[in-house]
Amino acid sequence: MHFGLWAPVYGGFLRNVPDEGMPATWATIRDVALTADRLGFHTMLIPELYLNDRKGVDAPSLEAWSLTAAVLAVTEQLRVMTAVRPGFHLTAVTAKTVSTLTDLAPDRFALNVVAAWWAEEAKQFGGVFPAHDERYDQAREFVDVLLGALQASPFDYQGRFFTANGTIVEPKPERLPAVFAGGESDSGREAIAGFADAYAMH
């Protein structure tokens, strides 16, 4: 059995405790990551949310992908599973980021593909936020392009939400990152069974 933890990108996750004594800073994340690495935790999930849904939208929250690189750089064994919401990212750019992260820390990076749920956040940050079931179609295409570009160059794809036109992503990782995804609806679970390696559940 492996044990993991959520990175406290909000400075903690308790809704009923305004100040948990854990500021939303890199210093907090670094200390938690180093402790988890030393104690033998397997995975740290870094959630991707641009607004703070625990302490309130005016409260601070840290950005997932910057933290991912930093945590991988300061730890030795800890795997980092980074959440990614397809409507907020360009697929080829994300593939390039993943290529770099897997070079930085081979076999210590995984993806948590999140179909997203917060319309207000998408409005504020320019995310593409289709209807519920369509967000899972969007996620499937995102994974198709991301993994495709990490395996073949040049890579072409024509989908409803994403395209790739002779895309070249180098270097190629020796092994593709594991893809996790979660969802509670019937349509979500069915879609996840088609594009993910593992089902993430609360």
Side-chain angles (χ1 to χ4, degrees), residues 28 34 37 43 48 63 66 73 81 115 123 126 133 159 170-171 181 186 200 202:
T28 296
L34 289 172
D37 197 42
T43 299
E48 180 182 64
E63 190 274 325
S66 302
M81 181 197 301
K123 181 181 76 173
D133 288 1
E170 297 291 344
D186 290 340
H202 289 291

Side-chain angles (χ1 to χ4, degrees), residues 83-160:
V84 60
R85 274 117 26 100
F88 290 78
H89 294 270
L90 300 173
T91 46
V93 173
T94 307
K96 188 68 176 177
T97 304
V98 170
S99 168
T100 302
L101 291 171
T102 54
D103 183 63
L104 172 68
D107 297 324
R108 291 204 295 126
F109 176 74
L111 281 169
N112 178 29
V113 178
V114 180
W117 57 271
W118 200 355
E120 174 61 26
E121 185 185 41
K123 181 181 76 173
Q124 289 192 29
F125 285 85
V128 178
F129 193 77
H132 177 274
D133 288 1
E134 292 178 311
R135 292 200 297 277
Y136 286 100
D137 296 332
Q138 180 188 52
R140 177 188 52 77
E141 285 191 13
F142 183 84
V143 173
D144 286 348
V145 177
L146 177 73
L147 297 184
L150 289 173
Q151 294 177 87
S153 289
F155 179 73
D156 294 285
Y157 185 93
Q158 184 65 48
R160 178 181 172 195

